Amino acid sequence: MFAYLVGRIVSAIPILLLVAVFIFSLVNLTPGDPALLLAGDNATPAQVEQIRERLHLDEPLHTRFAIWAGNALQLDLGVSIYSGQPVTRLIAQRIEPTFVLAAVTLVITVLIAVPLGVIAAWKANTLIDRLIMGFAVLGFSVPVFVIGYLLAYVFSVTLKWFPVQGYSPLADGVFETLRSVTLPAIALALVFAALIARVTRAAMLEVLNENHIRTARAKGLPVPRILIVHALKNAGVPVVTVIGIGLTTLVGGVVVTESVFNIPGIGRLTVDAITRRDYPIVQGVILFFATLLIAINILVDMSYALFDPRVKG
């Protein structure tokens, strides 16, 4: 198991390097001069040149990448062009809302998707199965911002159960925090749950046709025990895999959802940085998310040992 973990970490290093090269190239090869944007319309050529030197924009591309990558290894992602604050500090200031929203979304998703997928597989080709799969198709088809606006109109504007926008930090109380992220979390979860429910159903259908499930039925074991203990555990690998893959969808959804509900998280920071062409923030945030997703994929691979004993070897 330890050797498997080391192998996965080593194999992730070149992937992260390629991601870093792609991020740096994508941002630095786009049209426009950040130095001109930062200096303003009334700046003199000398002032623009000073800004260009300070940002290393006068260096060759490979030299700028080496400087940026070396600083990134030391957790120095540069300084924001507009605010002048370190990018790592800006990310740290915004990390709580994003992680709370992602965590609540993940919990809601699993509580919705896995039971629906199990029930759909147990009641395959019945009206219940068709209704659940119809919900899954609908949830995966509707854009997350449309769901967000509908939820905000019904539960915030009309019923006034939840705040329309904003985020209450954990320092103000867990209840207020959960109340502020409930609607955006549900909007994200409905999209996320649709994918997981379909995969759970497909994996469960395959397991329910195996001999040990027929034996459990013949012994008269209770249906919940058959579905949860015998079937769901054996179907856990594809379900956990799609949860890990779906987190990439969740990251993209966080950017949109935080903008819709005005949540001051990393997604909102990314949108603001793109509109201002604050490329150190854009680079830092994308690299942060890429590293996070690689770490999540490694954790997902490690979780396979809970469902497949062969991974432990």
Side-chain angles (χ1 to χ4, degrees), residues 106 108-110 112-118 120 132-142 147 187-204 235 238-251:
L106 186 61
I108 295 175
T109 299
V110 173
I112 293 175
V114 175
L116 287 181
V118 171
I132 293 175
M133 288 301 99
F135 159 77
V137 172
L138 181 63
F140 200 69
S141 302
V142 180
I147 299 175
L188 276 173
L190 291 178
V191 178
F192 196 19
L195 175 64
I196 298 177
R198 292 177 65 87
V199 173
T200 302
R201 176 185 181 275
M204 287 289 295
V239 174
V240 171
T241 300
V242 78
I243 290 176
I245 295 174
L247 286 174
T248 58
T249 306
L250 179 61
V251 168

Side-chain angles (χ1 to χ4, degrees), residues 214-234:
R214 297 193 185 97
T215 302
R217 288 177 177 174
K219 291 181 178 180
L221 295 179
V223 172
R225 180 178 177 84
I226 295 175
L227 293 177
I228 298 174
V229 178
H230 296 279
L232 184 57
K233 183 177 181 179
N234 289 304

Side-chain angles (χ1 to χ4, degrees), residues 225-312:
R225 180 178 177 84
I226 295 175
L227 293 177
I228 298 174
V229 178
H230 296 279
L232 184 57
K233 183 177 181 179
N234 289 304
V237 171
V239 174
V240 171
T241 300
V242 78
I243 290 176
I245 295 174
L247 286 174
T248 58
T249 306
L250 179 61
V251 168
V254 162
V255 175
V256 177
T257 307
E258 288 183 354
S259 299
V260 171
F261 288 92
N262 195 26
I263 297 176
I266 299 178
R268 183 67 182 274
L269 176 66
T270 306
V271 174
D272 293 341
I274 292 174
T275 56
R276 295 175 177 175
R277 293 184 59 83
D278 198 340
Y279 74 92
I281 294 181
V282 176
Q283 289 176 329
V285 169
I286 296 177
L287 184 63
F288 169 77
F289 276 132
T291 305
L292 180 63
L293 291 176
I294 290 174
I296 289 173
N297 287 328
I298 292 176
L299 292 176
V300 169
D301 289 347
M302 294 301 100
S303 69
Y304 291 164
L306 299 175
F307 305 99
D308 190 349
R310 293 173 295 181
V311 177
K312 297 180 181 179

Side-chain angles (χ1 to χ4, degrees), residues 67-153:
I67 294 173
W68 177 73
N71 292 335
L73 289 175
Q74 303 175 49
L75 301 182
D76 180 6
L77 299 177
V79 178
S80 169
I81 293 177
Y82 280 83
S83 68
Q85 298 187 47
V87 175
T88 50
R89 181 187 300 172
L90 293 174
I91 293 177
Q93 292 173 349
R94 304 289 191 100
I95 202 169
E96 180 190 307
T98 298
F99 273 29
V100 170
L101 176 59
V104 175
T105 300
L106 186 61
V107 171
I108 295 175
T109 299
V110 173
L111 292 178
I112 293 175
V114 175
L116 287 181
V118 171
I119 294 172
W122 182 253
K123 300 291 184 179
N125 301 320
T126 64
L127 178 61
I128 295 177
D129 179 27
R130 294 187 182 93
L131 290 175
I132 293 175
M133 288 301 99
F135 159 77
V137 172
L138 181 63
F140 200 69
S141 302
V142 180
V144 64
F145 67 89
V146 174
I147 299 175
Y149 282 126
L150 288 175
L151 291 175
Y153 177 77

